[in-house]
Amino acid sequence: MSYSLYDKNGGKVARKLLILQLLTFVLLSAAFGLKSLSWSTSALMGGLAAWLPNALFMLYAWRQQAQTTVSGRVAWSFAIGEALKVVVTITLLVIALGLFKAAFAPLGVAYLSVLITQIVAPAVINRS
């Protein structure tokens, strides 16, 4: 990612990104609600599977940023945060598909939409 999510205002860009991602999957869930309640719920679960790990990672990063870090610890804390993010994502997707029997199409569309927002939004936010 070529744009920094951290700025001198204490992560204002990261907060905007999380809000945009939240709006993305909530609106998609509402749109899928026109088809059926199960599609709406599936889209909500797919969006949460992408958004919640990002929110947890940002909280983890902000907590680590507050501490004084040794140069080598920054890389390790980032790697640990990313590993936790992957584990939480896989766990949420398994729960959605296995336990709740979510419909794959709306779940996948909402999940991918949040990921695309994560890639595109920082460039748009930093431009303004």
Side-chain angles (χ1 to χ4, degrees):
M1 191 176 302
S2 61
Y3 292 98
S4 174
L5 294 179
Y6 298 103
D7 58 354
K8 57 187 171 227
N9 297 328
K12 193 181 229 184
V13 175
R15 269 192 294 272
K16 285 182 183 178
L17 176 61
L18 287 174
I19 291 169
L20 279 173
Q21 289 176 329
L22 179 67
L23 287 173
T24 299
F25 79 85
V26 167
L27 291 175
L28 273 172
S29 179
F32 279 121
L34 298 174
K35 176 147 174 72
S36 73
L37 182 61
S38 67
W39 274 50
S40 177
T41 307
S42 297
L44 191 63
M45 285 190 256
L48 275 175
W51 181 80
L52 190 59
N54 286 339
L56 293 174
F57 179 78
M58 289 298 165
L59 288 173
Y60 178 77
W62 286 329
R63 194 192 77 160
Q64 293 297 322
Q65 184 182 16
Q67 299 174 357
T68 56
T69 58
V70 181
S71 61
R73 282 189 55 203
V74 173
W76 276 108
S77 66
F78 181 79
I80 290 169
E82 281 295 323
L84 290 173
K85 187 173 159 180
V86 169
V87 169
V88 170
T89 300
I90 291 170
T91 303
L92 289 173
L93 288 173
V94 166
I95 289 171
L97 291 169
L99 188 63
F100 291 110
K101 307 288 187 232
F104 185 74
L107 182 134
V109 167
Y111 180 81
L112 289 175
S113 296
V114 172
L115 292 182
I116 290 170
T117 303
Q118 179 178 348
I119 295 167
V120 174
V124 175
I125 291 170
N126 284 331
R127 181 178 288 183
S128 59

